[in-house]
Amino acid sequence: MPSTAVSAVVLIGLVVVVTGIGLVWRARNGRLRTQEPDDTVALTASDLGVSLGERATLVQFSTAFCQPCRTTRIVLDDVSSLVEGVAHVEIDAESHLELVRRLDIMRTPTVLVLDSAGRIVKRASGAPRKADVLAVLGEIV
């Protein structure tokens, strides 16, 4: 095979692999997934710096220059105002590194959905959709 043909095959293969990775990332971004039973951690008001919601708490880990964090803040504020007994707490990840490490927060925004006892029920890395958050709250509230 001439070297240009080999280069073309390598380039096409690389495009296919990168496209596949991008599609997987896009599909997982913002998807609320269930916490594994072994990973279930209960957060308290002292962990968060504010009291938990009566029925559920939406915990958002953000950073100052995170654009999707702004969208997530709007969505979660809206959801918490729609569903009675649900609180929204935004935590600056850079200021709470111990909590970030303890909860294995790898990127911002990360959203944790807590039940009334502070147990993590669901989590999303990336900006979740409003309908998905409402559906999760419908399950646990």
Side-chain angles (χ1 to χ4, degrees):
M1 230 187 231
S3 66
T4 56
V6 172
S7 297
V9 169
V10 170
L11 182 60
I12 290 170
L14 185 60
V15 167
V16 169
V17 169
V18 170
T19 301
I21 291 170
L23 290 172
V24 169
W25 181 81
R26 184 176 182 192
R28 292 187 57 156
N29 190 39
R31 187 176 56 106
L32 288 158
R33 57 186 166 82
T34 304
Q35 277 293 112
E36 296 298 321
D38 296 343
D39 298 335
T40 303
V41 175
L43 297 176
T44 64
S46 62
D47 290 327
L48 303 177
V50 297
S51 57
L52 298 171
E54 293 175 24
R55 300 170 77 189
T57 305
L58 305 171
V59 180
Q60 174 186 350
F61 286 88
S62 301
T63 52
F65 298 105
C66 168
Q67 182 61 39
C69 294
R70 295 177 186 136
T71 304
T72 302
R73 179 184 314 118
I74 293 167
V75 167
L76 297 182
D77 279 343
D78 191 29
V79 168
S80 66
S81 69
L82 289 173
V83 183
E84 188 176 329
V86 174
H88 171 223
V89 178
E90 187 171 4
I91 296 176
D92 178 28
E94 295 170 321
S95 300
H96 295 86
L97 291 177
E98 182 180 322
L99 188 58
V100 165
R101 288 182 187 111
R102 187 173 115 202
L103 298 173
D104 198 27
I105 305 297
M106 302 304 263
R107 63 183 275 214
T108 59
T110 292
V111 175
L112 305 177
V113 180
L114 309 180
D115 63 12
S116 59
R119 290 183 302 263
I120 301 171
V121 178
K122 301 270 186 175
R123 79 184 289 147
S125 293
R129 295 177 335 143
K130 182 178 178 179
D132 294 340
V133 177
L134 288 169
V136 167
L137 290 174
E139 293 173 13
I140 66 170
V141 171

